[in-house]
Amino acid sequence: MKFNLLTNNKDTISDFKRFLANWNNESNTIIQKSSGSTGPPKLIEIPKWRMKASAEMTGDFFELDKMNTSLLCISPKYIGGKMMIVRSALYNLELTIADVSSNPIKGLTKKIDFAAMVPLQVDTILDQTPEKLDLIKYLIIGGAPVSSNLEKRLQSSKCMAFSTYGMTETVSHIALKILDNQNAPFKAIGKTTFKEIKGELIINSVQLGIDNLHTNDIIELIDERHFHWKGRKDFVINTGGIKIHPEKLEEKIKNEILEDNFIVSSTSDVTYGEKVIIICEERIFNKIQQFVNNWCFDRYTKPKEIFTLEKLPLTTNGKIDRLTARGKVIHD
């Protein structure tokens, strides 16, 4: 596989070379940390044959055997970055390695046949250098939901963009949604099939050795090959591709302010897909606000808004009713 550099970042180049060496060594597996979509992140041992099968499924869909160039601008530490390298190696694509940044293609001058990005990168490119996106023929966007606003903005671009559905457990995406029609469903790739139980997506893939993988995603099933994604059963917050578990963040905050009459939740955000918010009882608003203003959150976990209720609603077993509380203050 040929590759060239659009970055001087030593860590990015090192991560690429390290994975490529692991891919070519004698081991039959790759160790990958899960994204946290289906629970707390964990280490998963992925057979290389499964990664190759996934690459072939994507290759058949996009006819990568007829293409020449690809772009790596997401970290090889994640399954999405690893799979871009595997696809490029399998189909002998010339891989351009760019910065893992919000605008990785600002220095791009040549056309690229196939690329993968997260929504935040695409939004930034459209803000700063929209003409660069026209250099890309096919673009897959994953790691976080694609907002309706981003989907609309992409209509002015010449590149053909797709939203992906998948997780570490499915070795990257197993369904794609073309972003030239807001009503388009996700369509299975390869021989993947879907079913649902109580509205929750179940995945089967002979090629990947997946048998009745029960997800936390709520879907509207059209047929065994198509579905509309509606949301998540659990409360994981996906902000800019970073998965945040509200209960874990709440625990950290409670240890500092010694209060429990609040929850961490989310609301939709044009740039990040979702943003972190806090819903608290009115009597502790000032305490929560002071804490949020003074504590050292990172850019993703820092709550962007605080909403108040006189009393947080409770379930029949005395726990805070998260869905009802969110519904009382949020109008997406």
Side-chain angles (χ1 to χ4, degrees), residues 14 43 62 81 140 154 256 305 312:
S14 177
L43 294 178
F62 288 105
I140 56 174
L154 280 164
E256 297 292 329
E305 290 186 82
L312 289 175

Side-chain angles (χ1 to χ4, degrees), residues 190-219:
K191 298 178 181 178
T192 304
T193 59
F194 307 116
K195 57 184 179 180
E196 59 89 16
I197 297 178
K198 296 181 180 179
E200 297 166 20
L201 179 65
I202 311 295
I203 302 169
N204 285 282
S205 173
V206 174
Q207 290 155 292
L208 299 177
I210 293 173
D211 183 31
N212 287 329
L213 175 62
H214 197 140
T215 75
N216 290 323
D217 291 289
I218 304 300
I219 55 106

Side-chain angles (χ1 to χ4, degrees), residues 173-271:
H173 56 265
I174 42 81
L176 293 161
K177 172 186 174 182
I178 190 166
L179 295 177
D180 65 353
N181 180 353
Q182 290 191 32
N183 294 317
F186 280 98
K187 178 181 179 180
I189 64 172
K191 298 178 181 178
T192 304
T193 59
F194 307 116
K195 57 184 179 180
E196 59 89 16
I197 297 178
K198 296 181 180 179
E200 297 166 20
L201 179 65
I202 311 295
I203 302 169
N204 285 282
S205 173
V206 174
Q207 290 155 292
L208 299 177
I210 293 173
D211 183 31
N212 287 329
L213 175 62
H214 197 140
T215 75
N216 290 323
D217 291 289
I218 304 300
I219 55 106
E220 177 188 338
L221 189 69
I222 299 173
D223 55 43
E224 68 174 11
R225 298 277 294 170
H226 301 83
F227 67 86
H228 288 290
W229 185 80
K230 299 176 70 175
R232 295 195 54 79
K233 177 186 175 183
D234 58 19
F235 302 103
V236 173
I237 300 169
N238 188 329
T239 179
I242 303 299
K243 308 293 195 313
I244 295 171
H245 295 268
E247 295 92 341
K248 296 292 185 182
L249 185 54
E250 286 166 13
E251 185 177 347
K252 291 181 180 180
I253 298 174
K254 288 176 183 177
N255 288 338
E256 297 292 329
I257 66 170
L258 304 177
E259 293 280 1
D260 59 5
N261 289 50
F262 72 93
I263 60 170
V264 172
S265 188
S266 67
T267 185
S268 59
D269 183 77
V270 170
T271 301

Side-chain angles (χ1 to χ4, degrees), residues 1 54-56 58-59 64 70 79-80 82-93 114 116 140 171-173:
M1 179 184 67
S54 172
E56 289 173 342
T58 301
L64 294 183
S70 57
I79 191 65
K82 286 179 170 65
M83 288 307 302
M84 280 303 298
I85 299 171
V86 174
R87 296 175 197 125
S88 300
L90 187 64
Y91 289 94
N92 197 30
L93 303 177
F114 187 62
I140 56 174
V171 195
S172 191
H173 56 265

